[in-house]
Amino acid sequence: MRIALTIDNGPENTVTPRVLEELDRRGIKATFFVVGERLLTPEHRALARAARDAGHLIGNHTYTHGTPFGLLKNPQDAIDEIARTAELLGDLAGDELLFRPSTQGGPMDARTFNPAAVKYLTEGGYTCVLWNNLPEDWIDPQGWPERAAQTCRSLGDETSVLVVHDILPEAMLKLGSFLDEMLTRGATFVQEFPDSCVPIRRGQPTALLDEISARPL
């Protein structure tokens, strides 16, 4: 069982330090997809740097985590959402530029991307990372670990790209026990993402992209 743990929407002063502590205690490396506007404060930027310095990957999760790109009235706004965050990330981003779109908890479908965003991401050499394990920790901060574990088991040999959020104090209180359970079950935590969750890899579109773009490119 392989798990790519991804942590979205932070950093947050009251939550991210605990998440980093739990990961460090177990020697687990994760990927943090940060919201650009949160990096405007020195405290939040310092947390993102602490995560990077601890060996975690830092990805771009749009500037506002707002409207899915395929629903934007002005498609060019998608470029602004990506570019502003990229500028704020600066050297926090690794050699492989990682991006995750916002679906605001909705499904991954034709609303996820638009042609302007796809063009910008492919020309910029980005790797776009989606997910296959979304236990909705924002809805059920107590029960999400059980659903996450069940999905991990159901995926079998396929890497589980798990999404949780480091802006939810109650949910992240369960992170340590979840990690311990998965380790006990023999899980390996990785920072690589399966093709089934990557519509663009290092600027190259994959077949998955056709299913989640607002209209033909």
Side-chain angles (χ1 to χ4, degrees), residues 87-166:
E87 183 177 359
L88 286 166
L89 282 172
D91 64 355
L92 295 177
D95 294 334
E96 185 174 17
L97 298 176
L98 301 176
F99 174 77
R100 169 167 283 168
S102 166
T103 63
Q104 293 191 320
M108 291 176 286
D109 56 20
R111 297 171 292 182
T112 306
F113 284 103
N114 66 23
V118 170
K119 184 174 186 292
Y120 183 87
L121 291 165
T122 53
E123 290 180 351
Y126 278 85
T127 292
C128 299
V129 181
L130 303 181
W131 54 89
N132 55 20
N133 192 343
L134 187 67
E136 298 185 329
D137 55 329
W138 69 94
I139 294 175
D140 185 3
Q142 301 299 317
W144 72 263
E146 181 178 349
R147 287 191 299 279
Q150 182 178 6
T151 301
C152 287
R153 293 192 295 271
S154 70
L155 286 168
D157 293 334
E158 182 178 358
T159 300
S160 173
V161 183
L162 170 62
V163 182
V164 294
H165 300 82
D166 61 336

Coordinates of all heavy atoms in Angstrom, one line a residue, residues 87-166:
E87 N 4.8 33.3 -8.2 CA 5.7 34.4 -7.8 C 5.9 34.5 -6.3 O 7.0 34.6 -5.9 CB 5.1 35.8 -8.3 CG 6.0 37.0 -8.0 CD 5.5 38.3 -8.5 OE1 4.4 38.3 -9.2 OE2 6.1 39.3 -8.3
L88 N 4.9 34.2 -5.6 CA 5.0 34.2 -4.1 C 5.8 33.0 -3.6 O 6.6 33.1 -2.7 CB 3.6 34.2 -3.4 CG 2.9 35.6 -3.5 CD1 1.4 35.4 -3.1 CD2 3.5 36.6 -2.5
L89 N 5.6 31.9 -4.3 CA 6.4 30.7 -3.9 C 7.9 30.9 -4.1 O 8.7 30.5 -3.3 CB 5.9 29.5 -4.7 CG 4.6 28.8 -4.2 CD1 4.1 27.8 -5.2 CD2 4.7 28.2 -2.8
G90 N 8.2 31.4 -5.2 CA 9.6 31.6 -5.5 C 10.4 30.3 -5.3 O 10.1 29.3 -5.9
D91 N 11.5 30.4 -4.5 CA 12.4 29.3 -4.3 C 11.8 28.2 -3.4 O 12.4 27.1 -3.2 CB 13.7 29.7 -3.7 CG 13.6 30.3 -2.3 OD1 12.5 30.5 -1.8 OD2 14.7 30.6 -1.7
L92 N 10.6 28.4 -2.9 CA 9.9 27.3 -2.1 C 9.5 26.2 -3.1 O 9.3 25.0 -2.6 CB 8.7 27.9 -1.4 CG 9.0 28.9 -0.3 CD1 7.7 29.4 0.3 CD2 9.9 28.3 0.8
A93 N 9.2 26.5 -4.3 CA 8.9 25.5 -5.3 C 10.1 24.7 -5.6 O 11.2 25.2 -5.7 CB 8.3 26.1 -6.5
G94 N 9.9 23.4 -5.9 CA 11.1 22.5 -6.2 C 11.4 22.5 -7.7 O 10.9 23.3 -8.5
D95 N 12.3 21.6 -8.1 CA 12.6 21.5 -9.5 C 11.5 21.1 -10.4 O 11.4 21.6 -11.5 CB 13.7 20.4 -9.6 CG 15.0 20.8 -9.0 OD1 15.3 22.1 -8.8 OD2 15.8 20.0 -8.6
E96 N 10.6 20.3 -9.8 CA 9.3 20.0 -10.5 C 8.2 20.9 -10.0 O 7.8 20.8 -8.9 CB 9.0 18.5 -10.3 CG 7.8 18.1 -11.2 CD 7.5 16.6 -11.1 OE1 8.0 15.9 -10.2 OE2 6.7 16.1 -11.9
L97 N 7.7 21.7 -10.9 CA 6.7 22.7 -10.5 C 5.4 22.0 -10.4 O 4.8 21.4 -11.4 CB 6.6 23.8 -11.6 CG 7.8 24.7 -11.7 CD1 7.6 25.7 -12.9 CD2 8.2 25.4 -10.4
L98 N 4.8 21.9 -9.2 CA 3.6 21.2 -8.9 C 2.4 22.2 -8.8 O 2.5 23.2 -8.2 CB 3.7 20.4 -7.6 CG 4.9 19.4 -7.5 CD1 5.0 18.8 -6.1 CD2 4.7 18.3 -8.6
F99 N 1.3 21.8 -9.4 CA 0.1 22.6 -9.3 C -1.1 21.7 -9.1 O -1.2 20.6 -9.6 CB -0.2 23.3 -10.6 CG -1.5 24.0 -10.7 CD1 -1.6 25.2 -10.0 CD2 -2.5 23.5 -11.4 CE1 -2.9 25.9 -10.0 CE2 -3.8 24.2 -11.4 CZ -3.9 25.4 -10.7
R100 N -2.0 22.2 -8.2 CA -3.3 21.5 -8.0 C -4.4 22.5 -8.2 O -4.4 23.5 -7.6 CB -3.3 20.9 -6.6 CG -4.7 20.4 -6.2 CD -4.7 19.5 -4.9 NE -4.2 18.2 -5.3 CZ -3.8 17.3 -4.3 NH1 -3.8 17.6 -3.1 NH2 -3.4 16.1 -4.7
P101 N -5.4 22.2 -9.0 CA -6.5 23.1 -9.2 C -7.5 23.0 -8.0 O -7.4 22.1 -7.2 CB -7.2 22.5 -10.5 CG -6.9 21.1 -10.4 CD -5.5 21.0 -9.8
S102 N -8.4 24.0 -8.0 CA -9.4 24.0 -7.0 C -10.7 23.6 -7.6 O -11.1 24.1 -8.6 CB -9.6 25.5 -6.4 OG -10.8 25.6 -5.7
T103 N -11.4 22.6 -6.9 CA -12.7 22.2 -7.3 C -13.7 22.6 -6.3 O -14.9 22.3 -6.4 CB -12.8 20.7 -7.6 OG1 -12.5 20.0 -6.4 CG2 -11.8 20.3 -8.7
Q104 N -13.2 23.2 -5.2 CA -14.1 23.6 -4.1 C -14.9 22.4 -3.5 O -16.1 22.6 -3.2 CB -15.0 24.8 -4.5 CG -14.3 26.1 -4.7 CD -15.2 27.3 -4.8 OE1 -16.2 27.2 -5.4 NE2 -14.7 28.4 -4.3
G105 N -14.3 21.3 -3.5 CA -14.9 20.1 -2.9 C -15.8 19.4 -3.9 O -16.4 18.3 -3.6
G106 N -15.9 19.9 -5.1 CA -16.8 19.3 -6.1 C -16.0 18.2 -6.9 O -14.8 17.9 -6.6
P107 N -16.7 17.6 -7.9 CA -16.0 16.5 -8.7 C -15.0 17.1 -9.6 O -15.0 18.3 -10.0 CB -17.2 15.9 -9.4 CG -18.2 17.1 -9.6 CD -18.0 17.9 -8.3
M108 N -14.1 16.2 -10.0 CA -13.1 16.5 -11.1 C -13.8 16.2 -12.4 O -14.1 15.1 -12.8 CB -11.9 15.7 -11.0 CG -11.0 16.1 -9.8 SD -9.6 15.1 -9.5 CE -10.3 13.5 -8.9
D109 N -14.2 17.3 -13.1 CA -14.9 17.1 -14.4 C -14.5 18.3 -15.3 O -13.5 18.9 -15.2 CB -16.4 17.0 -14.2 CG -17.0 18.2 -13.4 OD1 -16.3 19.3 -13.4 OD2 -18.1 18.1 -12.9
A110 N -15.4 18.6 -16.3 CA -15.1 19.6 -17.3 C -14.9 21.0 -16.7 O -14.5 21.9 -17.4 CB -16.1 19.6 -18.4
R111 N -15.3 21.2 -15.4 CA -15.1 22.5 -14.8 C -13.7 22.7 -14.2 O -13.4 23.8 -13.8 CB -16.1 22.6 -13.6 CG -17.6 22.6 -14.1 CD -18.5 22.5 -12.9 NE -18.4 21.2 -12.2 CZ -19.2 20.9 -11.2 NH1 -20.1 21.7 -10.7 NH2 -19.0 19.7 -10.6
T112 N -12.9 21.7 -14.2 CA -11.6 21.7 -13.5 C -10.6 22.6 -14.1 O -9.9 23.4 -13.4 CB -11.1 20.3 -13.3 OG1 -12.0 19.5 -12.7 CG2 -9.8 20.3 -12.4
F113 N -10.5 22.6 -15.4 CA -9.5 23.4 -16.2 C -10.2 24.2 -17.3 O -11.4 23.9 -17.7 CB -8.5 22.5 -16.8 CG -7.4 22.0 -15.8 CD1 -7.5 20.7 -15.4 CD2 -6.4 22.8 -15.4 CE1 -6.5 20.2 -14.5 CE2 -5.4 22.3 -14.5 CZ -5.5 21.0 -14.1
N114 N -9.5 25.2 -17.8 CA -9.9 25.8 -19.1 C -8.7 25.9 -20.0 O -7.6 25.7 -19.5 CB -10.6 27.1 -18.8 CG -9.6 28.2 -18.3 OD1 -8.4 28.1 -18.4 ND2 -10.2 29.2 -17.6
P115 N -8.9 26.1 -21.3 CA -7.8 26.2 -22.2 C -6.7 27.1 -21.8 O -5.5 26.9 -22.1 CB -8.4 26.5 -23.5 CG -9.8 26.0 -23.4 CD -10.2 26.3 -22.0
A116 N -7.0 28.3 -21.3 CA -6.0 29.3 -20.9 C -5.1 28.7 -19.8 O -3.9 28.9 -19.9 CB -6.7 30.6 -20.4
A117 N -5.7 28.1 -18.9 CA -4.9 27.5 -17.8 C -4.0 26.3 -18.3 O -2.8 26.2 -18.0 CB -5.8 26.9 -16.7
V118 N -4.6 25.5 -19.2 CA -3.8 24.4 -19.7 C -2.6 24.9 -20.5 O -1.5 24.4 -20.4 CB -4.7 23.5 -20.6 CG1 -3.9 22.5 -21.4 CG2 -5.8 22.8 -19.7
K119 N -2.8 25.9 -21.3 CA -1.7 26.4 -22.1 C -0.6 27.0 -21.2 O 0.6 26.7 -21.5 CB -2.3 27.6 -23.0 CG -1.2 28.2 -24.0 CD -1.9 29.1 -25.0 CE -0.9 29.6 -26.0 NZ 0.1 30.5 -25.4
Y120 N -1.0 27.7 -20.2 CA 0.0 28.3 -19.3 C 0.7 27.2 -18.6 O 2.0 27.2 -18.4 CB -0.7 29.2 -18.3 CG 0.2 29.9 -17.3 CD1 0.8 31.1 -17.7 CD2 0.5 29.3 -16.1 CE1 1.6 31.7 -16.8 CE2 1.4 30.0 -15.2 CZ 1.9 31.2 -15.6 OH 2.8 31.8 -14.7
L121 N 0.0 26.2 -18.1 CA 0.7 25.1 -17.4 C 1.6 24.2 -18.2 O 2.7 23.8 -17.8 CB -0.4 24.2 -16.7 CG -1.2 24.9 -15.6 CD1 -2.4 24.1 -15.2 CD2 -0.3 25.0 -14.3
T122 N 1.2 24.0 -19.4 CA 2.0 23.1 -20.3 C 3.2 23.9 -20.8 O 4.4 23.4 -20.7 CB 1.2 22.6 -21.5 OG1 0.6 23.8 -22.2 CG2 0.1 21.7 -21.1
E123 N 3.1 25.2 -21.1 CA 4.2 26.0 -21.5 C 5.2 26.2 -20.4 O 6.4 26.4 -20.6 CB 3.7 27.3 -22.1 CG 3.0 27.2 -23.5 CD 2.6 28.5 -24.0 OE1 2.7 29.5 -23.3 OE2 2.2 28.5 -25.2
G124 N 4.6 26.2 -19.1 CA 5.5 26.4 -18.0 C 6.1 25.2 -17.4 O 6.9 25.2 -16.5
G125 N 5.8 24.0 -18.0 CA 6.4 22.8 -17.6 C 5.9 22.2 -16.3 O 6.6 21.5 -15.6
Y126 N 4.7 22.6 -16.0 CA 4.1 22.2 -14.7 C 3.7 20.7 -14.7 O 3.4 20.1 -15.7 CB 2.9 23.0 -14.4 CG 3.1 24.3 -13.7 CD1 3.4 25.4 -14.5 CD2 3.1 24.5 -12.4 CE1 3.7 26.7 -14.0 CE2 3.4 25.7 -11.8 CZ 3.7 26.8 -12.6 OH 4.0 28.0 -12.0
T127 N 3.6 20.1 -13.5 CA 3.0 18.8 -13.2 C 1.8 19.1 -12.4 O 1.8 19.7 -11.3 CB 3.9 17.9 -12.5 OG1 5.0 17.5 -13.3 CG2 3.2 16.6 -12.0
C128 N 0.6 18.7 -12.9 CA -0.7 18.9 -12.2 C -1.1 17.6 -11.5 O -1.1 16.6 -12.1 CB -1.8 19.3 -13.2 SG -1.4 20.8 -14.1
V129 N -1.4 17.8 -10.2 CA -1.7 16.6 -9.4 C -3.1 16.7 -8.9 O -3.5 17.6 -8.2 CB -0.7 16.6 -8.2 CG1 -1.0 15.4 -7.3 CG2 0.8 16.6 -8.7
L130 N -3.9 15.7 -9.2 CA -5.2 15.5 -8.7 C -5.2 14.6 -7.6 O -4.3 14.5 -6.8 CB -6.2 15.1 -9.9 CG -6.2 16.0 -11.1 CD1 -7.1 15.5 -12.2 CD2 -6.5 17.5 -10.7
W131 N -6.3 13.8 -7.4 CA -6.3 12.9 -6.2 C -7.3 11.7 -6.5 O -8.1 11.8 -7.4 CB -6.8 13.7 -5.0 CG -8.1 14.4 -5.3 CD1 -9.4 14.0 -5.1 CD2 -8.3 15.8 -5.8 NE1 -10.3 14.9 -5.5 CE2 -9.6 16.0 -5.9 CE3 -7.3 16.7 -6.2 CZ2 -10.1 17.2 -6.4 CZ3 -7.8 17.9 -6.6 CH2 -9.2 18.2 -6.8
N132 N -7.2 10.7 -5.7 CA -8.1 9.6 -5.8 C -8.6 9.2 -4.4 O -9.3 8.1 -4.2 CB -7.5 8.4 -6.5 CG -6.2 7.9 -5.9 OD1 -5.9 8.2 -4.7 ND2 -5.4 7.2 -6.7
N133 N -8.3 10.0 -3.4 CA -8.7 9.7 -2.0 C -9.0 11.0 -1.3 O -8.1 11.7 -0.9 CB -7.6 8.9 -1.3 CG -8.1 8.3 0.0 OD1 -9.1 8.7 0.6 ND2 -7.3 7.4 0.6
L134 N -10.3 11.3 -1.3 CA -10.8 12.6 -0.7 C -11.8 12.3 0.5 O -13.0 12.2 0.2 CB -11.4 13.5 -1.7 CG -11.8 14.9 -1.4 CD1 -10.6 15.7 -1.1 CD2 -12.7 15.5 -2.5
P135 N -11.3 12.1 1.7 CA -12.1 11.6 2.8 C -13.0 12.7 3.4 O -13.7 12.5 4.4 CB -11.2 11.1 3.8 CG -9.9 11.9 3.6 CD -9.9 12.1 2.1
E136 N -13.0 13.9 2.8 CA -13.8 15.1 3.3 C -13.6 15.4 4.8 O -14.6 15.4 5.5 CB -15.3 14.7 3.0 CG -15.5 14.6 1.5 CD -17.0 14.4 1.1 OE1 -17.7 13.8 2.0 OE2 -17.4 14.8 0.0
D137 N -12.4 15.6 5.1 CA -12.1 16.0 6.5 C -12.7 17.3 7.0 O -13.0 17.5 8.1 CB -10.6 16.0 6.8 CG -9.8 16.9 5.8 OD1 -10.3 17.1 4.7 OD2 -8.8 17.5 6.2
W138 N -13.1 18.1 6.0 CA -13.7 19.4 6.3 C -15.2 19.2 6.7 O -15.8 20.0 7.4 CB -13.6 20.4 5.2 CG -14.4 20.1 4.0 CD1 -15.7 20.5 3.7 CD2 -14.0 19.2 2.9 NE1 -16.1 20.0 2.5 CE2 -15.1 19.2 2.0 CE3 -12.9 18.5 2.6 CZ2 -15.0 18.5 0.8 CZ3 -12.8 17.8 1.4 CH2 -13.9 17.8 0.5
I139 N -15.8 18.1 6.3 CA -17.2 17.8 6.6 C -17.3 16.9 7.9 O -18.1 17.2 8.8 CB -17.9 17.0 5.5 CG1 -18.0 17.9 4.3 CG2 -19.2 16.5 5.9 CD1 -18.5 17.3 3.0
D140 N -16.4 16.0 8.0 CA -16.4 15.1 9.2 C -15.0 14.9 9.8 O -14.2 14.0 9.5 CB -16.9 13.7 8.7 CG -17.0 12.7 9.9 OD1 -16.8 13.1 11.0 OD2 -17.3 11.5 9.6
P141 N -14.6 15.9 10.6 CA -13.2 15.9 11.1 C -12.9 14.7 12.1 O -11.7 14.5 12.3 CB -13.2 17.2 11.9 CG -14.6 17.6 12.2 CD -15.4 17.1 11.1
Q142 N -13.9 14.0 12.5 CA -13.7 12.9 13.4 C -13.6 11.6 12.6 O -12.8 10.7 12.9 CB -14.8 12.8 14.4 CG -14.9 14.0 15.4 CD -13.7 14.2 16.2 OE1 -13.1 13.3 16.7 NE2 -13.3 15.5 16.2
G143 N -14.4 11.5 11.6 CA -14.6 10.2 10.9 C -13.7 10.0 9.6 O -13.7 9.0 9.0
W144 N -13.0 11.1 9.2 CA -12.3 11.0 7.9 C -11.2 9.9 7.9 O -11.0 9.3 6.8 CB -11.7 12.4 7.5 CG -10.5 12.8 8.4 CD1 -10.5 13.6 9.4 CD2 -9.1 12.4 8.2 NE1 -9.2 13.8 9.9 CE2 -8.4 13.0 9.2 CE3 -8.5 11.6 7.3 CZ2 -7.0 12.9 9.3 CZ3 -7.1 11.4 7.4 CH2 -6.3 12.1 8.4
P145 N -10.5 9.6 9.0 CA -9.5 8.6 8.9 C -10.0 7.2 8.5 O -9.3 6.5 7.7 CB -8.9 8.5 10.3 CG -9.1 9.9 10.9 CD -10.5 10.3 10.3
E146 N -11.2 6.9 8.9 CA -11.7 5.6 8.5 C -12.0 5.5 7.0 O -11.7 4.5 6.4 CB -13.0 5.3 9.3 CG -13.6 3.9 9.0 CD -14.9 3.7 9.8 OE1 -15.2 4.4 10.8 OE2 -15.6 2.7 9.5
R147 N -12.6 6.6 6.5 CA -12.9 6.6 5.1 C -11.6 6.6 4.3 O -11.4 5.9 3.2 CB -13.7 7.8 4.7 CG -15.2 7.7 5.2 CD -16.0 8.8 4.5 NE -15.5 10.1 5.0 CZ -15.8 10.7 6.1 NH1 -16.6 10.0 7.0 NH2 -15.4 11.9 6.4
A148 N -10.6 7.4 4.7 CA -9.3 7.4 4.0 C -8.6 6.1 4.0 O -8.1 5.6 3.0 CB -8.4 8.5 4.7
A149 N -8.7 5.4 5.1 CA -8.0 4.0 5.2 C -8.7 3.1 4.3 O -8.1 2.2 3.7 CB -8.0 3.6 6.7
Q150 N -10.1 3.1 4.3 CA -10.8 2.2 3.5 C -10.5 2.4 2.0 O -10.3 1.5 1.2 CB -12.3 2.4 3.7 CG -13.2 1.5 2.9 CD -14.7 1.7 3.2 OE1 -15.1 2.6 3.9 NE2 -15.5 0.8 2.6
T151 N -10.4 3.7 1.6 CA -10.1 3.9 0.2 C -8.6 3.5 -0.1 O -8.4 2.9 -1.2 CB -10.2 5.4 -0.1 OG1 -11.6 5.8 0.1 CG2 -9.8 5.7 -1.6
C152 N -7.7 3.7 0.8 CA -6.3 3.2 0.6 C -6.3 1.7 0.3 O -5.7 1.2 -0.6 CB -5.5 3.5 1.8 SG -5.0 5.3 2.0
R153 N -7.1 1.0 1.1 CA -7.2 -0.5 1.0 C -7.8 -0.9 -0.4 O -7.4 -1.8 -1.0 CB -7.9 -1.1 2.1 CG -7.2 -1.0 3.5 CD -7.8 -1.8 4.5 NE -9.2 -1.4 4.9 CZ -9.5 -0.5 5.8 NH1 -8.6 0.0 6.5 NH2 -10.8 -0.3 6.0
S154 N -8.9 -0.1 -0.7 CA -9.6 -0.5 -2.0 C -8.7 -0.2 -3.2 O -9.0 -0.9 -4.2 CB -10.9 0.3 -2.0 OG -10.6 1.7 -2.3
L155 N -7.8 0.7 -3.1 CA -7.0 1.0 -4.3 C -5.9 -0.1 -4.6 O -5.3 -0.1 -5.6 CB -6.3 2.4 -4.1 CG -7.2 3.6 -4.3 CD1 -6.6 4.8 -3.8 CD2 -7.7 3.7 -5.8
G156 N -5.7 -0.9 -3.6 CA -4.7 -2.0 -3.8 C -3.3 -1.6 -4.1 O -2.7 -0.8 -3.3
D157 N -2.8 -2.0 -5.2 CA -1.4 -1.6 -5.6 C -1.3 -0.2 -6.2 O -0.2 0.3 -6.4 CB -0.9 -2.6 -6.6 CG -0.7 -4.0 -6.0 OD1 -0.6 -4.1 -4.8 OD2 -0.8 -5.0 -6.8
E158 N -2.4 0.4 -6.5 CA -2.3 1.8 -7.0 C -2.0 2.8 -5.9 O -2.6 2.7 -4.8 CB -3.6 2.2 -7.7 CG -3.6 3.6 -8.3 CD -4.8 4.0 -9.1 OE1 -5.7 3.1 -9.1 OE2 -4.9 5.1 -9.6
T159 N -1.2 3.7 -6.1 CA -0.9 4.7 -5.1 C -2.1 5.6 -4.8 O -2.8 6.1 -5.7 CB 0.3 5.7 -5.6 OG1 1.4 4.9 -5.9 CG2 0.6 6.8 -4.6
S160 N -2.4 5.7 -3.5 CA -3.5 6.6 -3.0 C -3.0 8.0 -2.9 O -2.1 8.2 -2.1 CB -4.0 6.0 -1.7 OG -4.9 6.9 -1.1
V161 N -3.5 8.9 -3.7 CA -3.2 10.3 -3.5 C -4.2 10.9 -2.6 O -5.4 11.3 -3.0 CB -3.2 11.0 -4.9 CG1 -2.7 12.5 -4.7 CG2 -2.2 10.3 -5.8
L162 N -3.9 11.0 -1.3 CA -4.8 11.4 -0.3 C -4.7 12.9 0.0 O -3.6 13.5 0.1 CB -4.4 10.6 1.0 CG -5.1 11.0 2.3 CD1 -6.6 10.8 2.2 CD2 -4.5 10.2 3.5
V163 N -5.9 13.5 0.1 CA -6.0 14.9 0.4 C -6.6 15.2 1.8 O -7.7 14.7 2.1 CB -6.9 15.7 -0.7 CG1 -6.9 17.2 -0.4 CG2 -6.4 15.4 -2.1
V164 N -5.8 15.9 2.6 CA -6.4 16.4 3.9 C -6.0 17.9 3.9 O -5.3 18.4 3.0 CB -5.8 15.7 5.1 CG1 -6.4 14.3 5.1 CG2 -4.3 15.7 5.2
H165 N -6.4 18.6 4.9 CA -6.3 20.1 4.9 C -5.7 20.6 6.2 O -6.2 20.3 7.3 CB -7.7 20.7 4.7 CG -8.3 20.3 3.4 ND1 -9.0 19.1 3.2 CD2 -8.3 20.9 2.2 CE1 -9.4 19.0 2.0 NE2 -9.0 20.1 1.3
D166 N -4.6 21.4 6.1 CA -4.0 21.9 7.4 C -4.5 23.2 7.8 O -3.8 24.1 8.3 CB -2.5 21.9 7.2 CG -2.0 22.8 6.1 OD1 -2.7 23.1 5.1 OD2 -0.8 23.2 6.2

